[in-house]
């Protein structure tokens, strides 16, 4: 009885694992390409963003937008404090 149960569980595990193995084999070329692209990418990337501030007046439910502020250049030491 135990041998039959063990055999049944082993067969069920193989049937469950077969689609996963098939998908990994199909995705292997794409994984290799992504790894090569990641290795060839530059180490430093530039990120640009815009911070928008809004205040909601609770009495009228109107949204009031602040004027845009220019962030200091990215090399300045107070860049993060002024941008936030």
């Amino acid at each position: 009885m135990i041998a039959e149960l063990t055999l049944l569980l082993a067969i069920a595990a193989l049937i469950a694992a077969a689609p996963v193995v098939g998908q990994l084999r199909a995705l292997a070329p794409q994984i290799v390409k992504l790894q090569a692209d990641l290795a060839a990418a530059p180490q430093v990337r530039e990120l640009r963003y815009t911070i928008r501030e809004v205040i909601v007046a609770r009495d009228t439910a109107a949204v009031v937008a602040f004027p845009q502020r220019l962030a200091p250049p990215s090399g300045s030491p107070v860049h993060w404090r002024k941008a936030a």
Side-chain angles (χ1 to χ4, degrees):
M1 179 71 178
I2 293 178
E4 291 87 5
L5 182 60
T6 304
L7 182 62
L8 181 64
L9 289 175
I11 291 172
L14 287 174
I15 291 173
V20 174
V21 172
Q23 287 178 352
L24 288 177
R25 281 189 175 176
L27 292 176
Q30 292 177 357
I31 293 171
V32 171
K33 181 183 178 303
L34 286 173
Q35 287 175 340
D37 290 346
L38 184 61
Q43 295 297 321
V44 178
R45 294 184 185 200
E46 183 176 345
L47 174 66
R48 295 179 182 255
Y49 58 92
T50 302
I51 297 177
R52 298 191 179 172
E53 299 178 45
V54 295
I55 293 180
V56 178
R58 292 185 181 186
D59 296 337
T60 61
V63 178
V64 179
F66 286 121
Q68 278 189 331
R69 294 183 298 173
L70 295 176
S74 62
S76 65
V78 293
H79 172 67
W80 295 109
R81 281 183 273 153
K82 292 237 178 188

